[in-house]
Amino acid sequence: LLKGIWNYKTYVRSANNNFFSNFIADIITYHEEMGIELEKTNNIFRYYTDTAKSYKVWSEHHEEEMFVAKYKNWQNIVNLKVDGLCVVLPKSPKALVAEGTSQHNCVGGYADLVLKDQRIVLFIRKESNVGESYITCDFYSDKYDGYKWKCNQYLIAHNNSPTSVEARNMKN
């Protein structure tokens, strides 16, 4: 059944008006994105459940790889250390969510913007405690200025501005 549907995937997607066609379209989409062939099955619902689980694991891993690739050009900034502060690059969308939760701000929602090359988020940490949130920097690319990255904001917890000493250190 699935092999035949694979050949008619355009039709199935355009017939997206009932549960079963949505169900089949999801299976086809998952397989296409993961780059694997459909298999014969006697239990379409079990096949869907297994495929959906595999897709979830695959997409999380794939998203992390894409996320790390977006920061490839920023690797040299990790060595930057000024007045006891250092830069940490987020390694995954989950790291942004954790930062947003820790800082009580919205940076956790920026993962899609990072993946679309619209934002870069850097974590500024105290060298003495690199694992603890301190300052979050948000950069955007301005297409009207030759796509140069510009700092949009740098904030501490609860969207508060850093103290004058912290701000001076940031500018260094």
Side-chain angles (χ1 to χ4, degrees):
L1 172 68
L2 288 177
K3 289 284 186 188
I5 291 173
W6 182 264
N7 295 327
Y8 299 104
K9 62 187 174 193
T10 305
Y11 169 76
V12 170
R13 286 199 179 117
S14 67
N16 248 352
N17 57 3
N18 65 47
F19 172 77
F20 190 71
S21 62
N22 288 335
F23 194 73
I24 298 300
D26 285 348
I27 292 173
I28 292 169
T29 299
Y30 296 160
H31 278 77
E32 282 179 333
E33 288 188 24
M34 291 189 292
I36 58 174
E37 291 288 321
L38 291 167
E39 300 170 10
K40 291 183 180 179
T41 183
N42 293 328
N43 185 336
I44 188 81
F45 297 105
R46 176 64 175 213
Y47 188 77
Y48 174 82
T49 302
D50 292 345
T51 301
K53 286 178 186 174
S54 296
Y55 180 76
K56 184 175 189 256
V57 169
W58 175 85
S59 64
E60 286 175 0
H61 178 70
H62 184 67
E63 191 174 62
E64 286 181 16
E65 286 177 347
M66 290 174 27
F67 202 82
V68 168
K70 296 295 179 185
Y71 282 93
K72 192 172 189 173
N73 294 333
W74 292 80
Q75 290 297 323
N76 61 340
I77 202 167
V78 174
N79 299 324
L80 184 65
K81 295 175 180 15
V82 177
D83 295 330
L85 300 178
C86 63
V87 178
V88 174
L89 302 177
K91 301 215 184 301
S92 69
K94 288 179 183 177
L96 283 182
V97 171
E99 181 81 357
T101 301
S102 175
Q103 292 278 0
H104 303 282
N105 63 32
C106 63
V107 75
Y110 286 16
D112 285 343
L113 296 172
V114 169
L115 290 170
K116 293 176 186 173
D117 287 327
Q118 295 175 352
R119 298 281 187 169
I120 289 291
V121 177
L122 305 176
F123 304 152
I124 307 302
R125 303 287 194 245
K126 292 179 181 176
E127 284 185 277
S128 60
N129 194 355
V130 180
E132 184 179 324
S133 292
Y134 185 51
I135 299 174
T136 307
C137 295
D138 164 35
F139 292 85
Y140 69 98
S141 178
D142 186 357
K143 68 180 179 181
Y144 300 107
D145 192 18
Y147 290 98
K148 294 178 185 173
W149 290 99
K150 296 181 177 183
C151 184
N152 184 45
Q153 58 187 345
Y154 51 96
L155 302 169
I156 59 173
H158 302 283
N159 286 327
N160 290 317
S161 296
T163 65
S164 59
V165 172
E166 292 165 333
R168 187 173 52 253
N169 288 343
M170 288 296 300
K171 289 179 182 174
N172 288 337

